[in-house]
Amino acid sequence: MASDCEPALNQAEGRNPTLERYLGALREAKNDSEQFAALLLVTKAVKAGDIDAKTRRRIFDAVGFTFPNRLLTTKEAPDGCPDHVLRALGVALLACFCSDPELAAHPQVLNKIPILSTFLTARGDPDDAARRSMIDDTYQCLTAVAGTPRGPRHLIAGGTVSALCQAYLGHGYGFDQALALLVGLLAAAETQCWKEGEPDLLAVLRGLSEDFQKAEDASKFELCQLLPLFLPPTTVPSECLRDLQAGLARILGSKLSSWQRNPALKLAARLAHACGSDWIPAGNSGSKFLALLVNLACVEVRLALEETGTEVKEDVVTACYALMELGIQECTRCEQSLLKEPQKVQLVSVMKEAIGAVIHYLQQVGPEKQKEPFVFASVRILGAWLAEETSSLRKEVCQLLPFLVRYAKTLYEEAEEANDLSQQVATLAISPTTPGPTWPGDALRLLLPGWCHLTVEDGPREILIKEGAPSLLCKYFLQQWELTSPGHDTSVLPDSVEISLQTCCHIFLNLVVTAPGLIKRDACFTSLMNTLMASLPALVQQQGRLLLAANVATLGLLMARLLSTSPALQGTPASRGFFAAAILFLSQSHVARAAPGSDQAVLALSPDYEGIWADLQELWFLGMQAFTGCVPLLPWLAPAALRSRWPQELLQLLGSVSPNSVKPEMVAAYQGVLVELARANRLCREAMRLQAGEETASHYHMAALEQCLAEP
């Protein structure tokens, strides 16, 4: 009776009667031989057709992991049975189990990853059907594991990356599956892949690059899409760069449809992001290729952004932005530029038109789109352009400034989302992998260099002030400064933080000179002054941060002149500490140095200042001038300077070197400080006289100082 009902029950439940018989035989097996025979039958039934999740789970419940484990690791096969047949059976069962995502993440599957990885590179008869089936099942297992949340990490730790690379390079059966799985792992965990398998991944890159350079068929377009994934986070081998550039030059120099051209532009953008212009050869061919790249990018940007109502291919346009940025860098490079002057002129012209299209696009952006990655990318390329060129498109830029201030403020106030946007931009532009740190995490950092230029001009400066940019910049400066304060490891800070702080200082310097009333009335500058005073004493003591210290000292001195009536500057501990640190910065710039063949020393830059004096000297002279202006406004400053012994040591330095070694502008700067100190305080005058001040003034033709010291 039961046997009559069982087929009907199986049919009602959708069960496979043949598979049910085999599973019954498996459950009733009394020894390894019977179990092995039943497993062969089960495996054959499974491969004969698709099975559902319930059936797959019933097979697992009947088989478990114990016997497949033995099959995978056994070293003794029955007579007449090749070793790999047993392993193939074990892998087939695992492949069946791995179709269930829960089982694919099971520890008993994960601990088989090293064994499975060895099967990919095992030697054997390439025409053996059983071996081929085992390889297919192995890839099915590994692919299923890769699809689980923590699967890629387990595969990488299990040596799968190197095994896949070797399988692909061997071009044996299933090598295309190896490449597909490698692509998935790199997309999911690029950094870990390169950490564990760099030599093998570089070997794959070399092979792909060579194939790309030689390809004459449609495969070269497919390789364009694959290659960005295989570019390492470190240095790209030079032979790969040569092959990639040659292949791209051949593709982009031909007439192409958009589906053929766009992957090539994205690959070129990825190379530009990774290597700058180092991948482009010098000489005539390289300059023509770079000019072609930038021209194509500009045309693509204009076509995409000037046509209203058309769908923008954001990934392609963002890649073109990266190529335009490369063009901007090369057009502004004075030495060893790849471009000739006529090429630069032509590229600036086409880039200007493309930037006009970017401005047009941004003018259409409403509040609902401000958090979209493509808007961020568009602001980035505009920022790169404004950092070098603000005279052209001035009217359009001024019209856009209110939007840029509001946009920067929105992202500043939502800093975490802004950082996420920057990551999305990097993904959108150049690679489906995790972005690198070169994409800044806020819009303000992108716009600072351009705003620095614009604050010099009356019209743009008035717009920026009206829209609240100075207050926003003060808040941003204080936020960035927090990253450099005690308690933070400044050694791991990106250079962009310090560069941003310096650029902010330059903008504030522009405002101090051109809009002094703003400094006096806006409370944010009082907060900024307090931060500068509190920070400079520690900053001047830190190695390698002299340029930032120069910016902070000079800005603080200039602001002190405007805020001299502030209670914070009336000889408070903070103000005294700030001016002591400023004196340290100004006084340590020059030393007496022995001159070959002469008995008299010469005035020379001190070692710390020498290497960066080209960037430092304007700040130093401005700082000397600002300090001079502070002396009559702050009665306590001259006695403090005297206690620091700066005027005495300055006269001693001038007296120890040849007057011919001191440039006229240095003499003027020194005299300005000494005269104001002497005028402000009788004790200063006496100390200078005791230091042979009158004689030194005569030697250097410092008439004003000589006259001041002659007075009682």
Side-chain angles (χ1 to χ4, degrees), residues 118-184:
T118 63
F119 295 163
L120 300 179
T121 55
R123 294 182 179 180
D125 183 359
D127 297 322
D128 188 317
R131 186 177 295 279
R132 289 190 169 203
S133 179
M134 183 178 73
I135 291 174
D136 286 334
D137 289 337
T138 299
Y139 282 118
Q140 185 177 336
C141 291
L142 297 176
T143 302
V145 172
T148 64
R150 297 177 62 84
R153 184 177 300 180
H154 288 293
L155 290 174
I156 294 166
T160 304
V161 172
S162 292
L164 290 171
C165 291
Q166 292 167 26
Y168 173 75
L169 292 169
H171 276 67
Y173 179 76
F175 78 99
D176 52 337
Q177 297 180 72
L179 186 62
L181 188 49
L182 264 180
V183 167

Side-chain angles (χ1 to χ4, degrees), residues 358-380:
V358 173
I359 294 174
H360 171 75
Y361 165 77
L362 290 174
Q363 287 171 336
Q364 319 303 316
V365 172
E368 73 283 356
K369 287 191 172 184
Q370 286 194 9
K371 296 179 183 178
E372 293 185 3
F374 184 65
V375 176
F376 191 93
S378 300
V379 170
R380 174 188 169 90

Side-chain angles (χ1 to χ4, degrees), residues 375-377 379-381 383 404 407-423 425 437-449 451 472-473 475-477 479-480 483 494 496-497 499-501 504:
V375 176
F376 191 93
V379 170
R380 174 188 169 90
I381 187 59
L404 293 176
Y407 179 76
K409 184 177 181 181
T410 298
L411 295 197
Y412 167 76
E413 291 174 347
E414 301 177 20
E416 290 186 3
E417 290 191 34
N419 185 61
D420 182 60
L421 267 182
S422 72
Q423 295 191 1
V425 169
T438 51
W439 293 85
D442 58 76
L444 261 176
R445 191 175 300 167
L446 309 176
L447 296 169
L448 286 177
W451 286 7
L472 175 61
L473 288 169
K475 293 176 184 177
Y476 178 75
F477 181 90
Q479 179 208 57
Q480 295 290 296
L483 299 175
S496 57
V497 172
I499 293 172
S500 292
L501 289 170
C504 281

Side-chain angles (χ1 to χ4, degrees), residues 118-278:
T118 63
F119 295 163
L120 300 179
T121 55
R123 294 182 179 180
D125 183 359
D127 297 322
D128 188 317
R131 186 177 295 279
R132 289 190 169 203
S133 179
M134 183 178 73
I135 291 174
D136 286 334
D137 289 337
T138 299
Y139 282 118
Q140 185 177 336
C141 291
L142 297 176
T143 302
V145 172
T148 64
R150 297 177 62 84
R153 184 177 300 180
H154 288 293
L155 290 174
I156 294 166
T160 304
V161 172
S162 292
L164 290 171
C165 291
Q166 292 167 26
Y168 173 75
L169 292 169
H171 276 67
Y173 179 76
F175 78 99
D176 52 337
Q177 297 180 72
L179 186 62
L181 188 49
L182 264 180
V183 167
L185 290 178
L186 283 166
E190 178 190 31
T191 301
Q192 293 90 337
C193 284
W194 280 101
K195 183 178 179 181
E196 294 296 327
E198 181 172 351
D200 294 301
L201 284 169
L202 286 176
V204 172
L205 174 62
R206 290 186 181 94
L208 291 173
S209 302
E210 187 175 348
D211 291 345
F212 179 62
Q213 193 271 334
K214 294 178 179 178
E216 297 291 347
D217 55 13
S219 66
K220 60 187 176 185
F221 303 114
E222 297 172 5
L223 286 168
C224 275
Q225 297 176 324
L226 282 179
L227 279 162
L229 282 161
F230 288 89
L231 295 178
T234 53
T235 305
V236 182
S238 57
E239 64 271 24
C240 296
L241 293 179
R242 283 195 300 270
D243 287 341
L244 294 173
Q245 188 275 330
L248 282 171
R250 201 161 56 246
I251 290 175
L252 294 173
S254 307
K255 289 185 177 181
L256 302 170
S257 60
S258 60
W259 73 267
Q260 295 170 322
R261 180 177 60 252
N262 292 345
L265 290 173
K266 292 170 72 174
L267 174 58
R270 181 69 174 86
L271 287 166
H273 174 71
C275 310
S277 61
D278 292 344

Side-chain angles (χ1 to χ4, degrees), residues 279-297:
W279 61 288
I280 301 175
N284 191 50
S285 63
S287 65
K288 286 183 177 180
F289 174 70
L290 177 57
L292 173 65
L293 270 183
V294 178
N295 273 289
L296 287 173

Side-chain angles (χ1 to χ4, degrees), residues 81-103:
C81 178
D83 293 346
H84 70 269
V85 171
L86 298 181
R87 291 194 293 271
L89 177 58
V91 176
L93 289 168
L94 280 184
C96 173
F97 299 160
C98 285
S99 300
D100 183 333
E102 185 178 341
L103 292 179

Side-chain angles (χ1 to χ4, degrees), residues 30-99:
K30 296 181 177 60
N31 53 49
D32 283 356
S33 296
E34 291 182 4
Q35 193 171 27
F36 177 61
L39 278 173
L40 284 174
L41 294 172
V42 168
T43 305
K44 182 179 180 181
V46 168
K47 288 189 175 183
D50 294 334
I51 58 173
D52 57 26
K54 287 184 178 180
T55 305
R56 191 161 48 242
R57 177 60 73 163
R58 292 180 65 247
I59 295 173
F60 172 71
D61 291 339
V63 177
F65 280 115
T66 302
F67 200 66
N69 289 348
R70 291 174 58 192
L71 292 173
L72 290 173
T73 57
T74 185
K75 295 182 179 179
E76 296 181 4
D79 292 341
C81 178
D83 293 346
H84 70 269
V85 171
L86 298 181
R87 291 194 293 271
L89 177 58
V91 176
L93 289 168
L94 280 184
C96 173
F97 299 160
C98 285
S99 300

